[in-house]
Structure formats: C-alpha cells, structure tokens
Amino acid sequence: MSAESALASGQPTPAAVFQAAPLRRATRDPWYVRWTLIGLTLGIVGLLIGVPLASVFAQATAKGLGVYWNNLIANSDTRHAIFLTMIVAPVAVALNVVFGVAAAWSIARFRFRGRGLLITLIDLPFSVSPVVAGLMFVLIFGMQTELGLWLRDHGYQVIFAPPALVLATAFVTFPFVARELIPVLEAVGPDEELAARSLGASGWQLFWWITVPNIKWGLLYGVILCNARAMGEFGAVYVVSGRIEGQTDTMPLRVQKLWEGSDNPAAFALASVLTMLALVTLLLKVLIEPKVRADTEPAGKNADGE
Amino acid sequence: MWARLLIGFVAVYIVGAGIWVAASGFARNEQLLNVACDPTRELWHDVNAGFIAHYERETGVKLFIRQSHGGSGSQARAVIDGLPADIISLALWTDTNAVRKAGLLDPDWEKRYPNRSLPYTSTIVFVVRKGNPKNIRDWADLTRSDVEIVTPSPKTSGNGKWSFLSMWGSVIWRGGSEADARDFVTKAYQRVPVLDAAARAATMTFAQKGIGDVHLTWENEAHLEVKEAEGKLEIVHPGANTPGGAISVLAEPHIAVVDANVKRKGTAAIADAYMRYLYTPEAKKLIVKNYHRPSEPEALAKADPELYAEYQTLFPKMALHEATSLVPTKSWDEVQKKFFAEGQIFDQIQAAGQKKQ
C-alpha cells in the first residue's frame, strides 16, 4: 500500500515510509530500482504492444473512415474471408467444447491406465508447430493415402476446403477448453454428482443440472480463449487451405494476401477487425476471470455464495 | 430467460455453420480453379474477368473462376496433395514439372499450346532511385563498390532465382567464361546488404525502407513498384546503353492444364478454352496492362495500335535468353542442381563472400 501511495504522490519519501512501515522498508527495493523496473516494463509494453496496436488502427484509417469501411465491405473476397472465419471458428470451438468436456470429465473423475498419457496428448497441440499440424491433415486426407483418394473419387473434398479448415483449427485450439475445465472439475469434486446419483438422477440430468452449473464459468472462459485463437489461427490453416480466394481464405490468410499484394490499407483494415476481436476477448476474459477463480477455490469457501 | 434465448441462438447458429461446412466439401465442378504463383495476382484477376465475359458471349454459360495464389513451390505441392486445380501457372518450370512427375499432367503438356505453353513471359530488370543518382546502366555496374543491391535469396524465392540466373547469364551470354560469371556473381552478392527471404520483403526493403541503390526484380513487379512509389523510383533495362542492347533472362511462367483434374471434374473443354483465350489479342491487352510481355506482341498492332505503341515504349526490345542455355543439357533440373542445390554454386559463392568480409 505504502509503495503505491509513494508512487502516486510521485515523490518517494523514505523517512515517512520508514515511520509508517518500518518492517516493509527492509523488504523493499530502493526507489530507483523500482522506477527503473516499472519504466522498463512500461517501455517494453508500449514498444511491443502499444505502438504496433496503435499503428494497425492508424494505418487502417489513414485514408479516412469511408475508405476504411469500403476496404472491408467492397471486396467480395474480403467479405467472404470475414464470413468464413465467422463460420469456421464457432464450429471448431463447438467441437472442442464437446471433446474438451469429455476429456476433462474423464481425466478429473476417473483413474485409469493411460490417464497420464491422455493428459500429455491433450497438450500436444500446444507443443506441435501449427504448420506441422496442417501437414498432418494434408498427409491424412491428401492424395498419398487411400482415404484421400477414396474421398476424392466420391466427390468430397476435405483438404483444401472448409472441412479441413475446421479440423486444423480445432486441432490447434484443442487444449484450451480441456485445460480450463480439468482444474475446475477437480476443485468442485464429485460429491454433488454422487449425491445426485444417489437420489436417482440419470446421467444426462446429472450432467445438465449438477456438472454444467458448476463448470459454466470455466467452460465459458475456455471457449473465449479457444475462440480468440481459432479466429487468429494462421499456420495450420495456411497449409490446408489451398489459398483459394473467395473460398478457403480466412481473415488472417486474407490479411496476409492483401499485404503481399501491396494493398496495405485493406490489409490493415482487416487486421484491425481481428485486433478488435482480440480486444473484446481480453475484456470478456477480465470480466469472467473472478468467477472462474471462485469456482476453482475449495468448496468450503464457495459455500456462502450459494 | 435471456440466457436461454442466447444459448438457443448460439446453438442454432453453430448447427447451421456446421452443416454449411460439411456441405462445402462436395465438389463444385462448374468452377475453374487457377492455381498461380504470387506476383500474378492482378493479371489473373483481369484475365479471369475477361474470360468469363468472353465465354458467356460464345456459349451463354456464365462460369465461376477461382484463383489461388502462393509461393510457386508450395502451390505445386498443394496441387500434388490434391488441390483440385484445373490450370496451373507457376513461376518455375521445375515446379510445373513436379506436378507432371506426380502424374497429373500429360507428358506433352509443354507442346500443346503455342510458344511452349507461354502466353506471356517476363524478365529481370533494375529499379533505381529517381534520376538514377548512381548511374547504374548495365550489369557490370552491380559490382561497383559504391552500389548496394537488393534482391531476395535464390534459396527461398523464385524472384531471387531469376535474379541470380540473370546475373550469371549476363556474363555468359556476352561471351564470358564460367570463371568470369562466378567471379562477377560472387562480387555482386557481396554488394547485397540484406538477403531477404521473399520478393515482397525485398521490395519493402528497397522501396519503403530506402535501403540499397538498385533492386533486381521481375519486370511486372518493377512497374508496379515504380507506380506505387509515385515518382521516387524508375526502371533501368540493363545494357540498353551498350551497343549490344539490353540483355537479361527470359522468365518463363509456363501455364498448363492439369489433365488428371479436368478429366475427373469434366472441365477439360473449359480449361482448353481458357488456355486458348490467353493467346487472343484481347488477353494480350490485359497482359500488357499488367506489365507482362505477351507472346507475339505484333498481333496487338492490329487489335489496338495505341496500346501497341505504348507497349513498345514501356517494353523496349531486350535480348532475353533462356536460363536453360546456362547448362549443357538445357534442362531445368540441371539448372536447379547446378546453381541452387545444397553446397552448389550459390552456397559456394556465399561461403566465399563471407570469408572475404
């Protein structure tokens, strides 16, 4: 507290601090260390995040808001990219909600052989480069495999079409939901579910009336992070998309294409939309975080909330 | 209540989106897909629009043409992996040939259309600062100690490969020896302050960051770069001041019908019409407007004399040589192997350059 008030007054007064909190004095760094560190942090954050962020919006609107809007709306390929992202990301997130809840449930509630392996596998997409993830799908559904040839002969295109975009996005964003839910489920414990079971609840009732209310904030938190990553995914999607304009270009791919084509204002306009989505994500994340924390705290502390 | 409504709405939206994605996998055969390399975006945009109108006039059918752009090598890879391309227009013969090796092109693809399946060509030229302050006129000027060159790496960029080949060739085609060529190119790459990975990055380095005195690039890219710089840059056709005239490499973006795909999709006739359209005076006009050199430009003289006159000033006559003339077997495979393979001439030149520094 005293550190903050000293900062707020802008003038650290060691004597006053000493009198107010003699014990703290010894555990605190001298004022020049603190100010250097704070200055350094602010400087780095400003340089690495603030300036690029501001420049995206500045570049996007450099030629006026009318041009900015036109850049987003006039080109049918750009429109399609926005549309496609609005389709691909939610579907990928929905798949991950199903997989994530199932995986988290089995890991948090059961002890079985291979459980450790499963936990590791869930984290795999974090450690695998997205490009490699994309290549995996190319190898599975490409022309080198029987499956790829069979699908092609039956007139169904997975790779280089939206289905592959969803698969690649879902793969890369898989850990978000499961990773969020495992600690929540473990913290809540099986007691309420066992009680419901003993009172004769069916599996579905148990899940819908007991488990979901317990994990809903953690789930929402995972969904938000998952969605942010899904909308911004580039590497894996680039590999499986085939880069067909107006057909398989998502927003990040379109940004890159506009940029490569020297259409900087349009590239920045679309980039600014992605940035705004990121900012909304951040806001939602901040709003939900306290609720998630409340859920993961031991059940006893949570009791007065009910 | 509101929460339920919201959840209901989200659920309906996601189910709808899921159905859309699943349905999108079914092939749509009425579409033509042209898989092209990066620097031809504007060209194909115009040509596709032209062909759609042309085809509708001839047959009454309105086509959809889709366009994919990317690095030449990765585009070839994608087609081999199953990207259902009807037409491929890649920057390097080796890339097109890789698709043939995968069994997707008939072996005679190159002979099927006029001018070895080259409806247009391009070349490597110089872009310099306005007024050419360093007086860079010819290939020999590149190795002057006061000149800095911007060109992407031949290892990662098609543009970089063509630049390398044109530098090497500028010595050979004027009667120099292999040793002279190696010496010249070694010195030239020592004049490169940053070897960017891609053509676009090199353009940024030169035009926006203001690094270097001369930028080696495709002729069409050069025109776009100069246009965008609004009077700060200009083009030099290397050697135009010499008695022998301007000289450079003939960049050959071959165009081919992907036979295996069009047979399966039933688009062979449309793809063939598309290829033939590329040789019409109408397409030649679009090619010139996008700063490429059409095959048989004389055909334009009758169709559009004004444009032809403009063409002749924009595209002065240059002695353009095939890159394959640089190797004994006249094959692209050997060009690739001799210059760009691991440990070969480009690597040796770079190692030599680093030792001297």
Side-chain angles (χ1 to χ4, degrees), chain A residues 217-272:
Chain A
W217 292 114
L219 185 60
L220 197 57
Y221 189 76
V223 163
I224 288 166
L225 290 185
C226 186
N227 186 55
R229 184 79 173 74
M231 285 189 166
E233 172 51 29
F234 181 85
V237 164
Y238 181 84
V239 177
V240 300
S241 77
R243 303 167 283 276
I244 306 169
E245 281 166 11
Q247 198 163 315
T248 61
D249 270 352
T250 59
M251 275 164 75
L253 298 185
R254 184 72 192 154
V255 169
Q256 192 245 6
K257 209 167 254 188
L258 289 168
W259 168 255
E260 290 275 319
S262 308
D263 196 349
N264 292 3
F268 278 110
L270 198 56
S272 74

Side-chain angles (χ1 to χ4, degrees), chain A:
Chain A
M1 274 300 124
S2 62
E4 275 165 34
S5 61
L7 269 179
S9 69
Q11 191 83 40
T13 49
V17 172
F18 182 70
Q19 281 172 354
L23 278 176
R24 285 211 164 186
R25 179 90 176 66
T27 58
R28 260 177 33 195
D29 292 317
W31 65 271
Y32 54 85
V33 172
R34 275 183 287 130
W35 285 58
T36 315
L37 287 178
I38 291 169
L40 213 64
T41 312
L42 286 180
I44 291 170
V45 167
L47 209 68
L48 290 184
I49 299 174
V51 172
L53 207 62
S55 91
V56 165
F57 288 101
Q59 291 265 15
T61 54
K63 291 186 178 158
L65 280 175
V67 178
Y68 172 75
W69 183 244
N70 219 29
N71 274 332
L72 288 178
I73 291 304
N75 187 309
S76 66
D77 290 340
T78 302
R79 275 202 313 267
H80 189 272
I82 296 173
F83 164 77
L84 192 61
T85 294
M86 298 306 235
I87 295 285
V88 167
V91 175
V93 171
L95 288 177
N96 277 340
V97 166
V98 176
F99 298 146
V101 169
W105 173 273
S106 53
I107 284 169
R109 288 287 177 268
F110 305 101
R111 296 286 176 274
F112 51 92
R113 193 188 291 258
R115 181 172 172 272
L117 185 70
L118 185 61
I119 296 176
T120 317
L121 277 180
I122 286 175
D123 277 344
L124 188 72
F126 274 154
S127 50
V128 169
S129 156
V131 176
V132 177
L135 283 175
M136 278 170 16
F137 286 104
V138 172
L139 287 179
I140 294 171
F141 295 105
M143 292 303 105
Q144 287 83 0
T145 64
E146 290 298 314
L147 178 64
L149 292 169
W150 184 84
L151 283 168
R152 188 194 63 184
D153 292 343
H154 289 76
Y156 196 78
Q157 188 84 25
V158 173
I159 202 85
F160 309 122
L165 301 180
V166 169
L167 287 175
T169 307
F171 177 86
V172 171
T173 58
F174 182 75
F176 285 99
V177 173
R179 271 278 139 202
E180 266 327 303
L181 287 185
I182 293 169
V184 176
L185 273 171
E186 275 177 347
V188 169
D191 299 351
E192 293 178 24
E193 286 156 12
L194 288 174
R197 201 57 154 163
S198 69
L199 294 172
S202 72
W204 182 248
Q205 283 174 322
L206 183 151
F207 176 75
W208 197 244
W209 295 105
I210 307 296
T211 312
V212 168
N214 275 335
I215 63 169
K216 65 179 178 209
W217 292 114
L219 185 60
L220 197 57
Y221 189 76
V223 163
I224 288 166
L225 290 185
C226 186
N227 186 55
R229 184 79 173 74
M231 285 189 166
E233 172 51 29
F234 181 85
V237 164
Y238 181 84
V239 177
V240 300
S241 77
R243 303 167 283 276
I244 306 169
E245 281 166 11
Q247 198 163 315
T248 61
D249 270 352
T250 59
M251 275 164 75
L253 298 185
R254 184 72 192 154
V255 169
Q256 192 245 6
K257 209 167 254 188
L258 289 168
W259 168 255
E260 290 275 319
S262 308
D263 196 349
N264 292 3
F268 278 110
L270 198 56
S272 74
V273 176
L274 274 173
T275 311
M276 279 187 274
L277 286 171
L279 292 177
V280 170
T281 304
L282 207 65
L283 184 74
L284 289 173
K285 189 169 149 295
V286 169
L287 287 178
I288 288 178
E289 237 156 23
K291 313 237 183 206
V292 182
R293 216 173 301 140
D295 277 351
T296 44
E297 268 162 20
K301 283 190 191 169
N302 207 17
D304 55 339
E306 291 301 299

Side-chain angles (χ1 to χ4, degrees), chain B residues 131-254:
Chain B
N132 200 354
K134 294 273 173 92
N135 195 31
I136 300 159
R137 301 270 169 214
D138 195 6
W139 294 100
D141 293 321
L142 294 181
T143 52
R144 269 176 17 211
S145 61
D146 62 329
V147 170
E148 282 194 333
I149 308 168
V150 173
T151 178
S153 166
K155 282 282 184 177
T156 50
S157 159
N159 190 319
K161 281 196 178 70
W162 287 112
S163 296
F164 178 99
L165 294 169
S166 59
M167 282 194 264
W168 185 276
S170 71
V171 176
I172 303 287
W173 296 319
R174 281 171 168 165
S177 69
E178 289 259 310
D180 297 339
R182 183 185 283 257
D183 184 52
F184 172 74
V185 175
T186 307
K187 283 188 185 139
Y189 275 95
Q190 281 167 8
R191 313 289 337 137
V192 180
V194 270
L195 206 56
D196 287 302
R200 168 80 176 143
T203 306
M204 295 283 292
T205 301
F206 185 75
Q208 300 203 356
K209 292 185 200 150
I211 293 172
D213 305 300
V214 54
H215 177 203
L216 269 63
T217 187
W218 287 67
E219 192 174 33
N220 66 307
E221 295 271 282
H223 279 284
L224 294 175
E225 189 179 336
V226 167
K227 200 163 84 178
E228 209 172 294
E230 290 164 352
K232 291 193 198 102
L233 301 173
E234 61 183 58
I235 290 175
V236 169
H237 295 88
N241 59 330
T242 63
I247 183 171
S248 191
V249 74
L250 180 71
E252 301 176 303
H254 288 278

